[in-house]
PDB file of all heavy atoms in Angstrom:
ATOM      1  N   LYS O  52      13.591 -58.769 -15.548  1.00 58.00           N
ATOM      2  CA  LYS O  52      12.225 -58.361 -15.218  1.00 58.00           C
ATOM      3  C   LYS O  52      12.103 -58.044 -13.734  1.00 58.00           C
ATOM      4  O   LYS O  52      11.468 -57.060 -13.329  1.00 58.00           O
ATOM      5  CB  LYS O  52      11.247 -59.467 -15.604  1.00 58.00           C
ATOM      6  CG  LYS O  52       9.787 -59.103 -15.352  1.00 58.00           C
ATOM      7  CD  LYS O  52       8.861 -60.223 -15.802  1.00 58.00           C
ATOM      8  CE  LYS O  52       7.392 -59.842 -15.548  1.00 58.00           C
ATOM      9  NZ  LYS O  52       6.480 -60.939 -15.975  1.00 58.00           N
ATOM     10  N   SER O  77      21.331 -32.569   8.948  1.00 55.00           N
ATOM     11  CA  SER O  77      21.492 -31.187   8.505  1.00 55.00           C
ATOM     12  C   SER O  77      21.416 -30.234   9.688  1.00 55.00           C
ATOM     13  O   SER O  77      20.771 -30.525  10.696  1.00 55.00           O
ATOM     14  CB  SER O  77      20.409 -30.821   7.479  1.00 55.00           C
ATOM     15  OG  SER O  77      19.127 -30.903   8.069  1.00 55.00           O
ATOM     16  N   TYR O 113       7.625 -28.872  12.502  1.00 63.00           N
ATOM     17  CA  TYR O 113       9.081 -29.016  12.543  1.00 63.00           C
ATOM     18  C   TYR O 113       9.602 -29.685  11.269  1.00 63.00           C
ATOM     19  O   TYR O 113      10.587 -29.230  10.667  1.00 63.00           O
ATOM     20  CB  TYR O 113       9.476 -29.839  13.769  1.00 63.00           C
ATOM     21  CG  TYR O 113      10.873 -30.420  13.728  1.00 63.00           C
ATOM     22  CD1 TYR O 113      11.988 -29.619  13.971  1.00 63.00           C
ATOM     23  CD2 TYR O 113      11.068 -31.767  13.454  1.00 63.00           C
ATOM     24  CE1 TYR O 113      13.267 -30.153  13.930  1.00 63.00           C
ATOM     25  CE2 TYR O 113      12.338 -32.309  13.408  1.00 63.00           C
ATOM     26  CZ  TYR O 113      13.434 -31.504  13.645  1.00 63.00           C
ATOM     27  OH  TYR O 113      14.698 -32.033  13.605  1.00 63.00           O
ATOM     28  N   VAL O 131       4.683 -25.939 -10.148  1.00 55.00           N
ATOM     29  CA  VAL O 131       3.631 -26.908 -10.478  1.00 55.00           C
ATOM     30  C   VAL O 131       2.255 -26.250 -10.388  1.00 55.00           C
ATOM     31  O   VAL O 131       1.387 -26.452 -11.244  1.00 55.00           O
ATOM     32  CB  VAL O 131       3.708 -28.133  -9.550  1.00 55.00           C
ATOM     33  CG1 VAL O 131       2.496 -29.031  -9.731  1.00 55.00           C
ATOM     34  CG2 VAL O 131       4.987 -28.914  -9.809  1.00 55.00           C
ATOM     35  N   PHE O 160      -9.184 -13.044  11.316  1.00 98.00           N
ATOM     36  CA  PHE O 160      -9.565 -11.792  11.964  1.00 98.00           C
ATOM     37  C   PHE O 160     -10.660 -11.972  13.015  1.00 98.00           C
ATOM     38  O   PHE O 160     -10.817 -11.112  13.880  1.00 98.00           O
ATOM     39  CB  PHE O 160     -10.045 -10.779  10.917  1.00 98.00           C
ATOM     40  CG  PHE O 160      -8.974 -10.307   9.987  1.00 98.00           C
ATOM     41  CD1 PHE O 160      -8.669 -11.011   8.838  1.00 98.00           C
ATOM     42  CD2 PHE O 160      -8.259  -9.157  10.265  1.00 98.00           C
ATOM     43  CE1 PHE O 160      -7.674 -10.584   7.972  1.00 98.00           C
ATOM     44  CE2 PHE O 160      -7.261  -8.705   9.414  1.00 98.00           C
ATOM     45  CZ  PHE O 160      -6.967  -9.426   8.268  1.00 98.00           C
ATOM     46  N   VAL O 228      -9.907   9.256  17.737  1.00 97.00           N
ATOM     47  CA  VAL O 228      -8.799   8.343  18.027  1.00 97.00           C
ATOM     48  C   VAL O 228      -8.349   7.560  16.800  1.00 97.00           C
ATOM     49  O   VAL O 228      -7.150   7.417  16.542  1.00 97.00           O
ATOM     50  CB  VAL O 228      -9.187   7.365  19.168  1.00 97.00           C
ATOM     51  CG1 VAL O 228      -8.197   6.219  19.261  1.00 97.00           C
ATOM     52  CG2 VAL O 228      -9.264   8.115  20.490  1.00 97.00           C
ATOM     53  N   TYR O 245       2.455  -0.488  -1.374  1.00 98.00           N
ATOM     54  CA  TYR O 245       2.897  -1.735  -0.748  1.00 98.00           C
ATOM     55  C   TYR O 245       3.953  -2.371  -1.657  1.00 98.00           C
ATOM     56  O   TYR O 245       3.916  -2.193  -2.877  1.00 98.00           O
ATOM     57  CB  TYR O 245       1.741  -2.730  -0.582  1.00 98.00           C
ATOM     58  CG  TYR O 245       0.710  -2.352   0.449  1.00 98.00           C
ATOM     59  CD1 TYR O 245      -0.376  -1.551   0.104  1.00 98.00           C
ATOM     60  CD2 TYR O 245       0.799  -2.808   1.765  1.00 98.00           C
ATOM     61  CE1 TYR O 245      -1.334  -1.206   1.052  1.00 98.00           C
ATOM     62  CE2 TYR O 245      -0.163  -2.473   2.712  1.00 98.00           C
ATOM     63  CZ  TYR O 245      -1.224  -1.669   2.349  1.00 98.00           C
ATOM     64  OH  TYR O 245      -2.173  -1.329   3.282  1.00 98.00           O
ATOM     65  N   ALA O 257       3.873   4.405   3.920  1.00 98.00           N
ATOM     66  CA  ALA O 257       4.051   4.902   5.287  1.00 98.00           C
ATOM     67  C   ALA O 257       3.892   6.420   5.342  1.00 98.00           C
ATOM     68  O   ALA O 257       3.357   6.966   6.322  1.00 98.00           O
ATOM     69  CB  ALA O 257       5.424   4.491   5.815  1.00 98.00           C
ATOM     70  N   TRP O 258       4.334   7.100   4.284  1.00 98.00           N
ATOM     71  CA  TRP O 258       4.185   8.560   4.236  1.00 98.00           C
ATOM     72  C   TRP O 258       2.702   8.952   4.174  1.00 98.00           C
ATOM     73  O   TRP O 258       2.278   9.888   4.852  1.00 98.00           O
ATOM     74  CB  TRP O 258       4.924   9.144   3.038  1.00 98.00           C
ATOM     75  CG  TRP O 258       4.772  10.644   2.934  1.00 98.00           C
ATOM     76  CD1 TRP O 258       5.454  11.593   3.638  1.00 98.00           C
ATOM     77  CD2 TRP O 258       3.854  11.349   2.089  1.00 98.00           C
ATOM     78  NE1 TRP O 258       5.021  12.860   3.281  1.00 98.00           N
ATOM     79  CE2 TRP O 258       4.038  12.731   2.337  1.00 98.00           C
ATOM     80  CE3 TRP O 258       2.901  10.950   1.164  1.00 98.00           C
ATOM     81  CZ2 TRP O 258       3.304  13.708   1.671  1.00 98.00           C
ATOM     82  CZ3 TRP O 258       2.165  11.915   0.507  1.00 98.00           C
ATOM     83  CH2 TRP O 258       2.375  13.283   0.761  1.00 98.00           C
ATOM     84  N   GLY O 269      -4.400  17.432  13.775  1.00 94.00           N
ATOM     85  CA  GLY O 269      -4.279  18.881  13.622  1.00 94.00           C
ATOM     86  C   GLY O 269      -2.856  19.370  13.522  1.00 94.00           C
ATOM     87  O   GLY O 269      -2.541  20.483  13.952  1.00 94.00           O
ATOM     88  N   GLN O 274       4.137  21.076   6.311  1.00 96.00           N
ATOM     89  CA  GLN O 274       5.456  20.569   6.664  1.00 96.00           C
ATOM     90  C   GLN O 274       5.555  19.066   6.392  1.00 96.00           C
ATOM     91  O   GLN O 274       6.578  18.566   5.927  1.00 96.00           O
ATOM     92  CB  GLN O 274       5.752  20.848   8.145  1.00 96.00           C
ATOM     93  CG  GLN O 274       7.171  20.510   8.590  1.00 96.00           C
ATOM     94  CD  GLN O 274       8.231  21.327   7.868  1.00 96.00           C
ATOM     95  OE1 GLN O 274       8.019  22.498   7.530  1.00 96.00           O
ATOM     96  NE2 GLN O 274       9.367  20.706   7.597  1.00 96.00           N
ATOM     97  N   PHE O 281      12.350  10.962  -1.140  1.00 98.00           N
ATOM     98  CA  PHE O 281      12.939   9.671  -0.810  1.00 98.00           C
ATOM     99  C   PHE O 281      14.172   9.396  -1.661  1.00 98.00           C
ATOM    100  O   PHE O 281      14.327   9.948  -2.753  1.00 98.00           O
ATOM    101  CB  PHE O 281      11.921   8.537  -1.036  1.00 98.00           C
ATOM    102  CG  PHE O 281      10.560   8.806  -0.454  1.00 98.00           C
ATOM    103  CD1 PHE O 281       9.415   8.433  -1.136  1.00 98.00           C
ATOM    104  CD2 PHE O 281      10.409   9.446   0.774  1.00 98.00           C
ATOM    105  CE1 PHE O 281       8.146   8.664  -0.608  1.00 98.00           C
ATOM    106  CE2 PHE O 281       9.155   9.691   1.301  1.00 98.00           C
ATOM    107  CZ  PHE O 281       8.024   9.300   0.608  1.00 98.00           C
ATOM    108  N   ALA O 294       9.119 -15.139  -0.015  1.00 92.00           N
ATOM    109  CA  ALA O 294       9.700 -16.251   0.745  1.00 92.00           C
ATOM    110  C   ALA O 294       8.742 -17.430   0.871  1.00 92.00           C
ATOM    111  O   ALA O 294       9.180 -18.573   1.017  1.00 92.00           O
ATOM    112  CB  ALA O 294      10.115 -15.765   2.133  1.00 92.00           C
ATOM    113  N   ARG O 301       9.765  -9.967 -10.431  1.00 94.00           N
ATOM    114  CA  ARG O 301      10.764  -8.888 -10.328  1.00 94.00           C
ATOM    115  C   ARG O 301      10.942  -8.466  -8.882  1.00 94.00           C
ATOM    116  O   ARG O 301      10.088  -8.695  -8.036  1.00 94.00           O
ATOM    117  CB  ARG O 301      10.352  -7.688 -11.179  1.00 94.00           C
ATOM    118  CG  ARG O 301       8.963  -7.157 -10.899  1.00 94.00           C
ATOM    119  CD  ARG O 301       8.687  -5.880 -11.683  1.00 94.00           C
ATOM    120  NE  ARG O 301       7.285  -5.642 -11.880  1.00 94.00           N
ATOM    121  CZ  ARG O 301       6.768  -4.462 -12.229  1.00 94.00           C
ATOM    122  NH1 ARG O 301       7.553  -3.429 -12.420  1.00 94.00           N
ATOM    123  NH2 ARG O 301       5.466  -4.327 -12.407  1.00 94.00           N
ATOM    124  N   PRO O 310      15.653  12.027   7.653  1.00 96.00           N
ATOM    125  CA  PRO O 310      15.295  13.232   8.402  1.00 96.00           C
ATOM    126  C   PRO O 310      16.314  14.345   8.203  1.00 96.00           C
ATOM    127  O   PRO O 310      17.526  14.094   8.143  1.00 96.00           O
ATOM    128  CB  PRO O 310      15.285  12.742   9.857  1.00 96.00           C
ATOM    129  CG  PRO O 310      14.965  11.284   9.752  1.00 96.00           C
ATOM    130  CD  PRO O 310      15.658  10.822   8.503  1.00 96.00           C
ATOM    131  N   GLY O 335      22.698  -6.224   2.645  1.00 90.00           N
ATOM    132  CA  GLY O 335      23.392  -7.346   2.024  1.00 90.00           C
ATOM    133  C   GLY O 335      22.866  -8.694   2.473  1.00 90.00           C
ATOM    134  O   GLY O 335      23.495  -9.722   2.231  1.00 90.00           O
ATOM    135  N   GLY O 346      15.568  -3.743  12.351  1.00 95.00           N
ATOM    136  CA  GLY O 346      14.584  -4.757  12.714  1.00 95.00           C
ATOM    137  C   GLY O 346      13.734  -4.329  13.894  1.00 95.00           C
ATOM    138  O   GLY O 346      13.710  -3.149  14.276  1.00 95.00           O
ATOM    139  N   PRO O 349      13.306  -3.828  20.926  1.00 97.00           N
ATOM    140  CA  PRO O 349      12.420  -3.682  22.095  1.00 97.00           C
ATOM    141  C   PRO O 349      12.071  -2.216  22.383  1.00 97.00           C
ATOM    142  O   PRO O 349      10.904  -1.869  22.528  1.00 97.00           O
ATOM    143  CB  PRO O 349      13.230  -4.304  23.239  1.00 97.00           C
ATOM    144  CG  PRO O 349      14.133  -5.287  22.564  1.00 97.00           C
ATOM    145  CD  PRO O 349      14.491  -4.662  21.251  1.00 97.00           C
ATOM    146  N   ASP O 399       3.275   0.394  32.854  1.00 96.00           N
ATOM    147  CA  ASP O 399       4.616   0.679  33.357  1.00 96.00           C
ATOM    148  C   ASP O 399       5.412   1.500  32.346  1.00 96.00           C
ATOM    149  O   ASP O 399       6.236   2.347  32.740  1.00 96.00           O
ATOM    150  CB  ASP O 399       5.348  -0.628  33.672  1.00 96.00           C
ATOM    151  CG  ASP O 399       4.667  -1.413  34.786  1.00 96.00           C
ATOM    152  OD1 ASP O 399       4.202  -0.767  35.751  1.00 96.00           O
ATOM    153  OD2 ASP O 399       4.583  -2.648  34.685  1.00 96.00           O
ATOM    154  N   CYS O 428      -1.503  -4.908  27.690  1.00 91.00           N
ATOM    155  CA  CYS O 428      -2.184  -3.604  27.636  1.00 91.00           C
ATOM    156  C   CYS O 428      -3.548  -3.625  28.308  1.00 91.00           C
ATOM    157  O   CYS O 428      -4.319  -2.674  28.173  1.00 91.00           O
ATOM    158  CB  CYS O 428      -2.342  -3.138  26.186  1.00 91.00           C
ATOM    159  SG  CYS O 428      -0.860  -2.311  25.554  1.00 91.00           S
TER     160      CYS O 428
END
Side-chain angles (χ1 to χ4, degrees):
K52 183 178 180 181
S77 63
Y113 162 77
V131 171
F160 293 86
V228 167
Y245 290 88
W258 179 80
Q274 187 62 34
F281 313 141
R301 54 174 157 163
D399 297 321
C428 276

